[in-house]
Amino acid sequence: PELPRTGRGRHMLGESWRGEELGTAQALHGAACGVDATFRRAALDADNVVVGIGRAAEELHAVIGGLSYRNLDDEAAFAGVNTTTEMLAQVVADRLVERVRAGGLGDGARGLTGIAVTLRESHLAWASYERSL
């Protein structure tokens, strides 16, 4: 069985979307999201953890910090892209995977098999993205 470990963070950003189906979200608007990252592995490491929660939280906060308090429409990486909650969950997951592969979560994190990221705008509005390593 896979064993999960979750870290949390928050971010605020500005964005606008394109597409009539998105209604009033087409105008520039702000969003505040809670961010949950779940790290998965098949078995506990030698220290009996999935991943060190302190290091995981530091890396999650670094990734979120790169997105917070910005108008994403002004960021080159998001030019012409609808920065939906789903898309941002994917970006956070992908950036966390980059940090795992770079050793940012320590050698024990090399046994991770997957990461899931959930962005919650409210108890009614949230989206998740999950990927394997």
Side-chain angles (χ1 to χ4, degrees):
E2 283 198 322
L3 304 166
R5 180 72 183 244
T6 301
R8 293 193 158 187
R10 288 203 57 76
H11 82 98
M12 297 185 72
L13 52 89
E15 61 194 357
S16 60
W17 297 338
R18 289 162 279 303
E20 289 189 31
E21 68 278 1
L22 297 170
T24 59
Q26 293 178 80
L28 180 63
H29 63 279
C33 295
V35 182
D36 294 331
T38 302
F39 302 88
R40 300 186 192 286
R41 66 184 307 141
L44 296 176
D45 70 8
D47 295 319
N48 290 321
V49 297
V50 171
V51 67
I53 195 65
R55 287 181 100 168
E58 288 172 7
E59 296 297 329
L60 177 60
H61 286 270
V63 168
I64 295 167
L67 300 171
S68 292
Y69 296 100
R70 292 175 171 30
N71 179 349
L72 296 181
D73 293 342
D74 295 337
E75 300 289 324
F78 302 111
V81 175
N82 277 343
T83 51
T84 61
T85 305
E86 295 88 335
M87 184 266 197
L88 290 173
Q90 179 180 358
V91 166
V92 172
D94 290 346
R95 290 182 181 181
L96 284 172
V97 167
E98 290 171 9
R99 290 172 177 270
V100 168
R101 290 183 176 153
L105 278 80
D107 288 337
R110 298 204 189 281
L112 292 174
T113 58
I115 293 178
V117 173
T118 302
L119 273 63
R120 299 179 191 281
E121 293 184 43
S122 74
H123 68 287
L124 298 174
W126 57 271
S128 294
Y129 180 83
E130 184 169 350
R131 60 163 292 173
S132 51
L133 269 82

